[in-house]
Amino acid sequence: MSADAMAGPALFIGDDTAYVALVRPQLDPSDPDLVRAAQEAGVSPEDFAGPGNVWALLTEHDGEGDGFELPGLRDTEADGFAEQLQAAVAAAEPFTVEAGDVLHLDGAPAGDGWAFTARVNPPEGHEVAAWTLTTGPVATADLLADLEDFRRTLA
């Protein structure tokens, strides 16, 4: 499917090689690639696209990616996580913010930005054990702008 087929709020923390992302994908049922895929699957494009209201946590580190759905997460909880992260970054002190039991994010100043250590604990039923990943520095101005954009998409 084309990149335009996907929408929805997304918060990526890290860089191209190591990140943790909180996303709520929403597929566009009118995208030609999605229509074709739905036809191949024998379902309507709307059924193929799904409800677009299930959050997921995605990670990548050293070329290894993983992720899982967070079906109980609500937009208000995702916004609360982003709000806590925004306040912690503005305070300019090392911090830990949590997204329920699945993500503990430690932030520490690193030059003109922040380095993060994410402890990821998949929910029951996920076959992979908990893992930890560390990101390179993220510029403070970029991080704050991303957080603001993310929160705006949830408003």
Side-chain angles (χ1 to χ4, degrees), residues 77-151:
E77 294 165 322
D79 183 55
F81 172 76
E83 182 179 31
Q84 288 177 36
L85 182 54
Q86 200 171 28
V89 169
E93 300 281 331
F95 62 84
T96 299
V97 294
E98 299 175 348
D101 293 334
V102 298
L103 175 63
H104 300 265
L105 188 66
D106 298 323
D112 292 336
W114 292 87
F116 295 98
T117 300
R119 294 179 312 247
V120 180
N121 185 28
E124 283 187 40
H126 198 274
E127 297 176 10
V128 177
W131 67 90
T132 300
L133 68 93
T134 303
T135 73
V138 178
T140 300
D142 293 343
L143 179 59
L144 289 173
D146 290 347
L147 286 162
E148 189 61 37
D149 289 346
F150 177 73
R151 295 192 67 210

Side-chain angles (χ1 to χ4, degrees), residues 36-89:
R36 227 177 348 271
Q39 288 171 340
E40 289 174 14
V43 298
S44 74
E46 293 76 18
D47 287 340
F48 192 82
N53 63 356
V54 178
W55 285 92
L57 183 72
L58 308 175
T59 65
E60 182 160 335
H61 191 257
D62 293 333
E64 297 288 324
D66 203 350
F68 47 85
E69 289 186 348
L70 303 167
L73 187 70
R74 299 181 313 239
D75 286 3
T76 55
E77 294 165 322
D79 183 55
F81 172 76
E83 182 179 31
Q84 288 177 36
L85 182 54
Q86 200 171 28
V89 169

